[in-house]
Amino acid sequence: MFEKKMKMAALDKVDINGGFWKEYMELVRCRMLPYQWEALNDRVKDAEPSYGMANFKAAAAGKGEFRGRVFQDSDVYKWLEAVAYCLMWHPDKELEATADGAIDIIAAAQQPDGYLDTYYILTGIEKRFTNVMDNHELYIMGHMTEAAVAYYYSTGKRKLLDAAIRYVDCVDRHFGREEGKLRGYPGHEVAEMALVALYGVTGDERHLNLARYFIDERGQEPLFFKEEREKYHNEYKWKDSYFQDQYYQAGKPVRDQEKAEGHAVRAVYLCTGMAEVASKTEDGELFAACERLWKSIVEKQMYITGSIGSSEYGEAFTFDYDLPNDTLYAETCAAIGLVFFARRMFEITKDGRYIDVMERCLYNGIISGVSLDGQKFFYVNPLEMLPEASKKDFYKRHVDVERQKWFACACCPPNVSRLISSLGGYAFEQSDSEIFVNLYVNGNFRTEIAGCTAEIQTETSYPWDERVSIRVKTEREAEFTVAVRVPDWCGNWTVSVDGGEYTGKLQKGYLYIERKWNGTSVIELTLKMPVRLMAAHPRVRDDVGKTAVMRGPLVYCLEEEDNGAQLQEIYLPEDARFEQTYDPELLNGVVTLKADGLRLTEAEWGEETLYQEYRGQHFDSQKLTFIPYYAWANRSVGEMTVWVHMK
Amino acid sequence: MFEKKMKMAALDKVDINGGFWKEYMELVRCRMLPYQWEALNDRVKDAEPSYGMANFKAAAAGKGEFRGRVFQDSDVYKWLEAVAYCLMWHPDKELEATADGAIDIIAAAQQPDGYLDTYYILTGIEKRFTNVMDNHELYIMGHMTEAAVAYYYSTGKRKLLDAAIRYVDCVDRHFGREEGKLRGYPGHEVAEMALVALYGVTGDERHLNLARYFIDERGQEPLFFKEEREKYHNEYKWKDSYFQDQYYQAGKPVRDQEKAEGHAVRAVYLCTGMAEVASKTEDGELFAACERLWKSIVEKQMYITGSIGSSEYGEAFTFDYDLPNDTLYAETCAAIGLVFFARRMFEITKDGRYIDVMERCLYNGIISGVSLDGQKFFYVNPLEMLPEASKKDFYKRHVDVERQKWFACACCPPNVSRLISSLGGYAFEQSDSEIFVNLYVNGNFRTEIAGCTAEIQTETSYPWDERVSIRVKTEREAEFTVAVRVPDWCGNWTVSVDGGEYTGKLQKGYLYIERKWNGTSVIELTLKMPVRLMAAHPRVRDDVGKTAVMRGPLVYCLEEEDNGAQLQEIYLPEDARFEQTYDPELLNGVVTLKADGLRLTEAEWGEETLYQEYRGQHFDSQKLTFIPYYAWANRSVGEMTVWVHMK
């Protein structure tokens, strides 16, 4: 019963050909991938060098220095994975040749026993597996495997896949409960989901078993990382933290974890792996842990933008309802990981609330990480920006005022690339008898269902417009279900099928339109998109008395560029009326929201007065302009806020 | 014209004999000093050891290990200074003998050339003066000198004074602009004010000149600390900071400093020294710098409690209007330093606004640092406390949830002792023809003025009650002025002299009552004390939409103990009416303020909902109880807030 009911659409069957996401996909394909390849080869001027390819070349040559962070290999793998996805919907011989060339170098770096982590190959392979906690060898194996599986699906080429299998087998010989093996598991998770994906290709039970072992062994007493630290005198960066080994989600068995804790990216990557293993092994207890952690995240620890990770220290979760808007971490990768987790939970449950969160992340906390030209990136995605604070408040020094060209730790840019390039798979999911329309894109999904070839054609200007037209085409009569998602944000929707009103009930966020399809039918969905003023639970201390403006799936914000500085002085009347305008010239085309707002006057305050007796709140009126949050910081450095005082 | 017009009352002439401050003074004398002596001798169970006396003993014996922080000597000196003050108003042979014993040990530790810093004496005197930036030798000289001057005034004994002069002379031989001397100055200021105090005893121009040199040389290019770092490879802890050498107020000449920057305690100690030197040398430019820095602090960077230092990083100022209530530093010592600075500025200008700030600090941000039993201390004085955040938010880990018994860096407890034990000197100030009543205490001040012996007797229940009765007694007819301060917080006051209405104008915060006094006269002052709702300048982001409740000089707060948790849910109606009750049983006797308040209801929020559409703010009514801020955290660990949402 925990087996996945749905699987994502194969990317070569989905042709997204216009609209919001097509622009991002083309940005990835035409700009980000070429740019990132330059970055991985240290050819971007004035950017932090990556050393990604240089390390592989040195390892292949058997000589040279390792440079960059210990996990640098993974950026190359994430790039390869994104390339694999792009090739599925946009064949490109040149790009494929570049990737093949990279794979040749990678394969040449592999050691005779299958080991492949350039850090230890270049700095002393005899020290490998002595700091599994922090040195990312198993993380790299995971990303290698994810790339290898994707590249195999995309091109049919086995070179990277075979190399990954050899590395996995090498790890399998060293880790496990058997005598003489290390009872370790990844310090940074990702291998768990990767191994299940590999199992999907190989059918080799050892690959699934290794994933299951990693999950079950994690956090068992005696704690492996603790013993490893003691044995090898590894630095324990978290000895002063309250979360201790839970930084790695390794302080107690995953089934005993009640709350999402520790490093946020690791946590959601773990959850994704847990869901995969629970599904493949019909492990109800493990699935219950997934649900518990999901609720802990989205009901207690998630920003309205879908971002997670309230604290820079440990890039971590903190505690329930602790969601500061300015000192947060909210790493782009963490929101991406939450999308991974959401997709698995949906595939197991067919519950639309998981896609609601996925959509929240995609339209807000993830693409906020990328500049509109696809060449600069945020690692941290604040909901409030005061540039002076980033400079002068040490606790906000990690909150960049503008997107950066590259990072010494560059996990986010290629992670965005691999997500966006596989977006078609998130838009459509299917089972033997059901096609789910999860995201509203402009495009076609061709598939075999109920013994027939069918095509779903969607047309929309979502998220700017409320109308989504879904054309269902079959070669001949075939009975199956088209499940159309109605997002949680939409309280007022209509749907018709071939012009007739559809009266089915909403079930867990879906309209199950089941019929004998024949020829072409049209489902017309209208998702009313009024501007919504959102409130946070009163336990969220930082948002009390404030509202966040949303329209459709988009969270909006105020920027200094449009509204002046000192945004904390701005109040939005609770009965504000919004002028909604699509401006094709602005920020690559966005709907702006304008309203009559208020600004606390400074007139009654001298420069010399810091405190005075309260004399009522006095305001000047001010026209406010809200723009979509994801598009902030694309025009100038300045203040920004999502949460606005409400009057 | 910058010469001091006023000087503080000699402590042996002031007999504070009851009321609010008498309790604190007795707490210092009877509890804190004995307790701190135990602490300095490492005899307090379960508290961080001080090693203060142990280091002096080892240095005197010429053998042993130095333990504790590099500036540990200073805690002993601050204790001695406080003892000196206490002995002036409460002779105590036993305490004096204890102090004499400590001084004997200190003197025995002094090196033949006068040098006296146990850290270098015990760890290698050849390394002295190689890290003046961080190793506090000149800071220790300053505190030694302050203690020595106080002990000399108090007891007439010269042993510590002579030792201090020898140390000062030793420093004077090593530092200065002359060939072969180090062009250094204190990394942590205090020597500047101490040297001027010493000059007051010795009349030796070298002592004043050294103070002036320290101030003038500070921050001159080439930067001494930078050169010292390069020469001795001293660690530069602030290399990643935005303030750089301004941490030490040593990045540019003090006359060029426009804003208070860097470590807050150091900054106000420096300002105090600058004011002293400006006064003694009639240096108008230097005084202008003092005024500029004063304004930068109190108009842009001061909490409503008088606390300063917005950031834990560097224990430092950040930027204008940046006054977070929860991540702040707000060190007890910094508010004490601001009182030192205020007193000098008043003494030069006779301007009551300096005493207004002094009073704000004393009644709020300073005594909040001491538990009501005088045995536990806050280093950091937050305006908002969420215990879970102190535990789980790394950025709030420095904000203790309860006062601690002692600290490894224990500057604050003895600093409170020396301030409170000299409080009489802050209450009354005089010139040849004027007596200023600055603080309203219960007590007598006997003095010579206008060639006559006069006595000022004050009686009040301030800060709980609005009436202050001031009896002026003279042996015979004498013409002088009694200047009675009317605090800035008081908008409604009356004053009478011998029953007749006094109609003089308020001048810079004072009523100048000038007459020929003869026999006994009574000045009756009434300072109306309504509850006041205060607002912060709208640029103070964290206080927008909130109010702080004050009555008289006291800032009030809400505690979880009285009002339940989730204090951010509480709203105070702007027209709230307060029930004011003196409760002698509560917190050693306080006036509580009770009002009908509101609490945002959680009823419309499920446990599962983190965000939902705004449906208006819905409240439950709740009786609120405010207590004086200084008394918080004396009953239980829990939430607290000064700034409360306002409706």
Side-chain angles (χ1 to χ4, degrees):
Chain A
M1 66 179 287
F2 301 105
E3 199 188 356
K4 287 188 192 174
K5 283 82 191 169
M6 308 301 299
K7 64 175 184 183
M8 64 195 291
L11 297 183
D12 55 354
K13 304 295 183 202
V14 180
D15 174 28
I16 296 179
N17 50 32
F20 189 88
W21 287 112
K22 180 64 172 173
E23 285 185 38
Y24 272 94
M25 291 169 71
E26 290 299 320
L27 206 59
V28 168
R29 191 179 68 78
C30 302
R31 301 237 193 148
M32 289 172 66
L33 288 185
Y35 178 85
Q36 288 171 15
W37 178 244
E38 293 306 294
L40 290 168
N41 285 280
D42 313 322
R43 294 188 293 249
V44 177
K45 239 183 98 177
D46 306 326
E48 297 257 15
S50 155
Y51 307 116
M53 285 308 298
N55 290 331
F56 277 112
K57 285 174 188 166
K63 61 177 181 206
E65 195 192 343
F66 181 88
R67 285 174 298 176
R69 305 287 180 93
V70 72
F71 42 78
Q72 224 62 347
D73 291 4
S74 64
D75 291 339
V76 175
Y77 292 127
K78 281 193 274 190
W79 180 82
L80 276 171
E81 187 182 341
V83 168
Y85 297 142
C86 281
L87 293 176
M88 291 172 90
W89 50 268
H90 189 101
D92 179 336
K93 287 295 163 202
E94 197 184 328
L95 180 61
E96 188 171 336
T98 303
D100 285 343
I103 289 166
D104 288 343
I105 295 165
I106 291 166
Q110 191 162 38
Q111 301 299 292
D113 70 347
Y115 184 81
L116 185 38
D117 177 322
T118 66
Y119 174 74
Y120 281 108
I121 292 172
L122 290 168
T123 62
I125 201 157
E126 70 286 357
K127 287 178 292 188
R128 71 182 185 181
F129 304 142
T130 60
N131 190 352
V132 174
M133 175 177 78
D134 274 340
N135 282 358
H136 287 72
E137 290 155 286
L138 304 183
Y139 173 76
I140 285 167
M141 182 200 81
H143 274 302
M144 180 185 186
T145 302
E146 294 237 293
V149 169
Y151 205 73
Y152 170 70
Y153 279 132
S154 176
T155 64
K157 293 176 182 170
R158 291 194 62 99
K159 188 166 193 172
L160 189 60
L161 183 69
D162 289 337
I165 292 170
R166 280 197 297 278
Y167 189 13
V168 167
D169 290 347
C170 167
V171 166
D172 193 41
R173 285 191 301 277
H174 284 86
F175 289 84
R177 295 207 185 84
E178 297 83 354
E179 189 68 29
K181 288 187 177 182
L182 292 168
R183 291 191 74 143
Y185 34 82
H188 192 314
E189 300 91 332
V190 77
E192 301 78 359
M193 66 174 105
L195 286 164
V196 178
L198 183 63
Y199 171 67
V201 178
T202 63
D204 186 337
E205 292 288 334
R206 287 181 310 143
H207 298 154
L208 177 60
N209 288 340
L210 185 58
R212 176 157 54 180
Y213 158 76
F214 279 157
I215 282 167
D216 284 343
E217 188 59 24
R218 189 164 208 91
Q220 299 290 348
E221 292 283 353
L223 296 181
F224 177 77
F225 293 156
K226 183 163 181 282
E227 297 203 323
E228 189 187 57
R229 287 193 294 271
E230 286 163 3
K231 185 166 179 188
Y232 297 107
H233 309 289
N234 296 332
E235 187 197 349
Y236 185 30
K237 280 184 279 189
W238 313 109
K239 62 176 181 296
D240 295 328
S241 72
Y242 92 95
F243 40 67
Q244 296 292 315
D245 281 283
Q246 278 296 87
Y247 169 81
Y248 310 94
Q249 299 81 43
K252 49 190 161 186
V254 299
R255 291 157 204 270
D256 297 344
Q257 301 193 7
E258 296 292 327
K259 303 178 58 169
E261 284 186 309
H263 188 272
V265 176
R266 291 172 209 238
V268 284
Y269 279 21
L270 169 63
C271 288
T272 307
M274 285 164 63
E276 287 285 6
V277 168
S279 165
K280 283 288 182 297
T281 61
E282 285 296 338
D283 186 335
E285 190 188 50
L286 190 58
F287 181 76
C290 291
E291 278 191 312
R292 212 158 46 231
L293 294 174
W294 174 269
K295 287 166 72 72
S296 167
I297 294 169
V298 306
E299 296 173 4
K300 302 287 190 289
Q301 304 195 80
M302 181 183 71
Y303 288 92
I304 196 167
T305 54
S307 288
I308 50 176
S310 296
S311 173
E312 185 268 345
Y313 180 72
E315 308 178 358
F317 291 109
T318 53
F319 53 97
D320 289 356
Y321 301 110
D322 181 45
L323 293 159
N325 295 307
D326 52 353
T327 54
L328 79 193
Y329 208 64
E331 185 181 340
T332 309
C333 282
I336 291 172
L338 187 53
V339 167
F340 295 159
F341 184 23
R343 203 189 84 213
R344 272 67 173 195
M345 294 302 277
F346 161 77
E347 287 169 348
I348 294 169
T349 62
K350 302 200 292 188
D351 192 330
R353 68 192 161 106
Y354 296 110
I355 307 300
D356 291 330
V357 170
M358 177 191 289
E359 188 178 56
R360 185 185 289 277
C361 296
L362 282 169
Y363 279 103
N364 302 290
I366 292 175
I367 53 172
S368 60
V370 189
S371 63
L372 294 176
D373 65 5
Q375 305 206 10
K376 292 196 282 183
F377 308 95
F378 275 135
Y379 207 99
V380 170
N381 295 278
L383 279 74
E384 184 181 323
M385 163 52 66
L386 177 65
E388 191 170 19
S390 285
K391 186 176 164 203
K392 297 183 179 173
D393 181 342
F394 193 72
Y395 289 163
K396 295 175 188 156
R397 72 196 183 287
H398 61 288
V399 186
D400 283 329
V401 299
E402 52 187 338
R403 295 177 185 84
Q404 306 294 304
K405 287 187 176 180
W406 198 254
F407 303 92
C409 171
C411 50
C412 299
N415 224 354
V416 171
S417 295
R418 69 187 185 126
L419 178 71
I420 302 289
S421 58
S422 59
L423 199 97
Y426 292 85
F428 302 102
E429 297 250 1
Q430 83 164 95
S431 66
D432 288 346
S433 60
E434 297 159 321
I435 293 173
F436 276 60
V437 180
N438 277 342
L439 303 178
Y440 317 109
V441 295
N442 258 10
N444 308 325
F445 170 40
R446 277 164 298 108
T447 188
E448 300 296 314
I449 189 160
C452 161
T453 298
E455 185 165 346
I456 306 289
Q457 299 177 336
T458 53
E459 214 180 296
T460 184
S461 297
Y462 194 86
W464 311 122
D465 188 67
E466 63 193 21
R467 283 160 302 171
V468 183
S469 169
I470 302 167
R471 206 170 287 266
V472 183
K473 287 186 176 177
T474 55
E475 286 180 335
R476 50 181 175 74
E477 186 181 88
E479 187 169 356
F480 59 90
T481 298
V482 175
V484 175
R485 178 174 156 262
V486 176
D488 62 343
W489 59 258
C490 185
N492 185 358
W493 48 272
T494 58
V495 67
S496 67
V497 184
D498 290 333
E501 198 188 349
Y502 176 79
T503 54
K505 270 200 200 147
L506 200 60
Q507 292 172 58
K508 289 188 177 179
Y510 290 91
L511 298 165
Y512 283 79
I513 305 173
E514 186 186 352
R515 60 173 57 193
K516 289 184 175 130
W517 305 91
N518 200 354
T520 300
S521 288
V522 181
I523 303 168
E524 294 284 358
L525 179 66
T526 305
L527 302 164
K528 289 285 178 200
M529 273 188 195
V531 175
R532 287 169 301 129
L533 300 189
M534 304 300 295
H537 193 290
R539 293 198 178 194
V540 182
R541 310 174 83 81
D542 296 76
D543 300 340
V544 170
K546 296 180 181 175
T547 186
V549 175
M550 291 189 73
R551 178 177 180 275
L554 294 172
V555 174
Y556 276 71
C557 69
L558 292 176
E559 270 199 308
E560 181 177 340
E561 170 100 11
D562 303 306
N563 303 286
Q566 306 295 342
L567 294 177
Q568 80 285 353
E569 293 176 350
I570 288 179
Y571 276 72
L572 183 69
E574 61 176 26
D575 58 355
R577 300 182 65 162
F578 290 87
E579 196 182 307
Q580 309 177 33
T581 317
Y582 181 76
D583 182 345
E585 301 303 316
L586 186 69
L587 298 162
N588 289 1
V590 294
V591 170
T592 60
L593 306 178
K594 290 197 169 71
D596 289 323
L598 302 166
R599 183 185 271 275
L600 274 177
T601 178
E602 291 187 12
E604 60 192 59
W605 291 83
E607 271 292 311
E608 282 141 35
T609 308
L610 191 50
Y611 305 104
Q612 68 187 10
E613 227 165 304
Y614 174 71
R615 305 169 188 167
Q617 283 191 308
H618 303 295
F619 297 97
D620 298 320
S621 60
Q622 180 177 337
K623 195 84 180 177
L624 304 179
T625 301
F626 292 82
I627 62 158
Y629 167 73
Y630 75 80
W632 84 279
N634 272 289
R635 296 171 293 172
S636 55
V637 169
E639 293 185 24
M640 181 278 293
T641 191
V642 166
W643 291 96
V644 181
H645 285 286
M646 195 168 23
K647 192 69 195 169
Chain B
M1 68 177 287
F2 302 106
E3 199 188 354
K4 287 188 190 173
K5 283 80 191 169
M6 308 302 299
K7 64 175 186 184
M8 63 193 292
L11 297 183
D12 55 352
K13 304 297 183 202
V14 180
D15 174 29
I16 296 179
N17 51 32
F20 189 87
W21 286 112
K22 180 63 173 174
E23 286 185 36
Y24 273 93
M25 291 168 71
E26 290 299 318
L27 206 59
V28 168
R29 191 180 67 81
C30 303
R31 302 233 194 152
M32 288 172 67
L33 289 185
Y35 178 85
Q36 289 171 15
W37 179 244
E38 293 306 294
L40 291 169
N41 285 281
D42 312 323
R43 294 188 294 247
V44 177
K45 238 183 98 177
D46 305 326
E48 297 256 14
S50 156
Y51 307 116
M53 284 307 300
N55 290 332
F56 278 111
K57 286 175 188 164
K63 62 178 182 204
E65 194 191 344
F66 181 89
R67 286 174 299 175
R69 306 286 180 93
V70 72
F71 43 76
Q72 224 63 346
D73 292 3
S74 65
D75 291 340
V76 174
Y77 293 127
K78 281 193 274 190
W79 180 82
L80 277 170
E81 188 181 343
V83 168
Y85 296 142
C86 281
L87 293 177
M88 290 172 90
W89 50 267
H90 189 102
D92 178 336
K93 288 294 163 202
E94 198 182 328
L95 180 61
E96 190 171 335
T98 303
D100 286 342
I103 289 166
D104 288 343
I105 295 166
I106 291 166
Q110 191 161 37
Q111 301 300 292
D113 70 346
Y115 185 81
L116 184 39
D117 177 322
T118 67
Y119 174 73
Y120 281 108
I121 292 172
L122 290 168
T123 62
I125 200 156
E126 70 285 357
K127 287 178 294 188
R128 71 184 185 178
F129 304 141
T130 60
N131 190 351
V132 174
M133 175 178 78
D134 275 341
N135 282 358
H136 286 74
E137 290 154 288
L138 304 183
Y139 173 75
I140 284 167
M141 183 201 79
H143 274 303
M144 180 185 187
T145 302
E146 295 238 293
V149 169
Y151 205 72
Y152 170 70
Y153 278 133
S154 175
T155 64
K157 295 176 181 170
R158 292 194 61 101
K159 187 167 195 171
L160 188 60
L161 182 68
D162 289 337
I165 291 170
R166 279 195 298 277
Y167 189 13
V168 167
D169 291 346
C170 167
V171 167
D172 192 40
R173 285 193 301 277
H174 285 86
F175 289 84
R177 296 207 183 86
E178 296 84 355
E179 189 65 33
K181 288 188 177 181
L182 292 167
R183 291 189 73 142
Y185 34 80
H188 192 313
E189 300 91 332
V190 77
E192 301 79 0
M193 68 175 103
L195 286 165
V196 178
L198 183 64
Y199 171 66
V201 178
T202 64
D204 186 337
E205 293 288 333
R206 287 181 309 142
H207 298 154
L208 177 60
N209 288 341
L210 186 58
R212 178 160 52 181
Y213 159 77
F214 280 157
I215 282 168
D216 284 343
E217 187 60 25
R218 191 163 209 92
Q220 300 289 349
E221 293 282 352
L223 296 181
F224 177 78
F225 293 157
K226 182 163 182 281
E227 298 203 322
E228 189 188 59
R229 287 194 294 269
E230 286 164 3
K231 183 164 177 188
Y232 297 108
H233 308 291
N234 296 333
E235 187 197 348
Y236 186 30
K237 279 185 281 191
W238 313 109
K239 61 177 182 296
D240 296 328
S241 71
Y242 91 95
F243 40 69
Q244 296 292 316
D245 282 282
Q246 278 295 86
Y247 169 80
Y248 310 96
Q249 298 80 44
K252 51 189 161 189
V254 300
R255 290 158 206 269
D256 297 345
Q257 301 194 8
E258 296 291 328
K259 303 179 57 170
E261 286 186 308
H263 189 273
V265 176
R266 292 173 208 236
V268 283
Y269 279 21
L270 169 62
C271 288
T272 308
M274 286 164 64
E276 287 284 6
V277 169
S279 165
K280 283 287 182 298
T281 61
E282 284 298 337
D283 186 336
E285 190 189 51
L286 189 58
F287 181 76
C290 292
E291 278 191 312
R292 211 157 49 231
L293 294 173
W294 174 269
K295 287 166 72 70
S296 167
I297 295 169
V298 306
E299 296 173 3
K300 301 287 190 290
Q301 305 196 78
M302 181 184 71
Y303 289 92
I304 196 167
T305 55
S307 289
I308 50 175
S310 295
S311 173
E312 185 267 346
Y313 179 73
E315 308 176 359
F317 291 109
T318 52
F319 53 97
D320 289 356
Y321 301 109
D322 182 45
L323 293 159
N325 294 306
D326 51 352
T327 54
L328 81 193
Y329 207 64
E331 185 181 340
T332 309
C333 283
I336 290 172
L338 186 53
V339 167
F340 295 158
F341 184 23
R343 204 191 82 213
R344 272 67 173 194
M345 293 302 277
F346 161 78
E347 288 169 347
I348 294 169
T349 62
K350 302 199 293 186
D351 192 330
R353 69 193 161 107
Y354 296 110
I355 308 300
D356 292 330
V357 170
M358 177 192 289
E359 187 178 57
R360 186 186 289 278
C361 297
L362 282 170
Y363 280 104
N364 302 289
I366 291 175
I367 54 173
S368 60
V370 190
S371 64
L372 293 176
D373 66 4
Q375 306 207 10
K376 292 196 284 183
F377 308 94
F378 275 135
Y379 207 99
V380 169
N381 296 278
L383 279 74
E384 183 181 322
M385 163 53 64
L386 177 65
E388 191 170 20
S390 285
K391 186 177 165 201
K392 297 183 180 173
D393 181 342
F394 193 71
Y395 289 163
K396 295 176 189 155
R397 72 196 183 286
H398 61 287
V399 186
D400 283 330
V401 300
E402 51 187 336
R403 294 176 184 84
Q404 306 293 305
K405 287 188 179 179
W406 199 253
F407 303 92
C409 171
C411 50
C412 299
N415 225 354
V416 171
S417 295
R418 68 185 185 127
L419 177 71
I420 302 289
S421 58
S422 58
L423 199 96
Y426 292 84
F428 302 101
E429 297 249 3
Q430 82 164 95
S431 66
D432 288 345
S433 60
E434 297 160 321
I435 294 173
F436 276 61
V437 179
N438 276 342
L439 302 177
Y440 316 110
V441 296
N442 259 8
N444 308 324
F445 170 41
R446 276 166 296 109
T447 189
E448 299 297 314
I449 189 161
C452 161
T453 299
E455 184 165 347
I456 305 289
Q457 299 177 337
T458 54
E459 215 182 295
T460 184
S461 297
Y462 194 86
W464 311 122
D465 188 66
E466 63 193 19
R467 283 160 300 171
V468 183
S469 170
I470 302 167
R471 206 169 289 262
V472 183
K473 288 186 177 176
T474 55
E475 285 181 336
R476 50 181 174 74
E477 189 181 85
E479 188 169 357
F480 59 90
T481 298
V482 175
V484 175
R485 177 173 157 262
V486 176
D488 62 343
W489 61 257
C490 185
N492 186 358
W493 48 272
T494 57
V495 67
S496 67
V497 184
D498 290 334
E501 199 186 348
Y502 176 80
T503 54
K505 269 199 198 150
L506 201 59
Q507 292 172 58
K508 289 190 179 176
Y510 290 92
L511 297 165
Y512 284 79
I513 305 173
E514 186 186 352
R515 60 173 59 193
K516 288 181 178 133
W517 305 91
N518 199 354
T520 299
S521 288
V522 181
I523 303 168
E524 295 283 358
L525 179 66
T526 305
L527 303 164
K528 290 285 178 199
M529 273 188 193
V531 175
R532 286 169 302 132
L533 301 189
M534 304 301 296
H537 193 291
R539 293 198 178 191
V540 183
R541 310 175 83 81
D542 296 76
D543 300 339
V544 170
K546 296 180 181 175
T547 186
V549 175
M550 290 189 73
R551 179 177 179 276
L554 294 172
V555 174
Y556 276 70
C557 69
L558 292 175
E559 269 199 307
E560 179 176 341
E561 170 99 11
D562 304 305
N563 304 286
Q566 306 294 340
L567 294 177
Q568 81 284 355
E569 293 176 350
I570 288 179
Y571 276 70
L572 183 68
E574 61 177 24
D575 57 356
R577 301 183 61 163
F578 290 88
E579 197 180 307
Q580 308 176 34
T581 317
Y582 182 76
D583 183 344
E585 302 302 317
L586 186 68
L587 298 163
N588 290 1
V590 293
V591 169
T592 60
L593 306 178
K594 289 197 169 71
D596 289 323
L598 302 166
R599 183 185 272 275
L600 274 177
T601 177
E602 291 187 11
E604 61 192 58
W605 290 83
E607 270 293 310
E608 283 141 33
T609 309
L610 191 49
Y611 305 104
Q612 67 187 12
E613 227 165 306
Y614 174 71
R615 303 170 189 166
Q617 282 191 308
H618 302 294
F619 296 97
D620 298 320
S621 59
Q622 180 178 337
K623 195 84 182 176
L624 304 179
T625 300
F626 291 82
I627 62 159
Y629 166 74
Y630 75 81
W632 84 279
N634 272 289
R635 294 172 294 173
S636 55
V637 169
E639 293 183 24
M640 179 278 294
T641 193
V642 166
W643 291 96
V644 181
H645 284 287
M646 195 169 23
K647 193 69 196 168

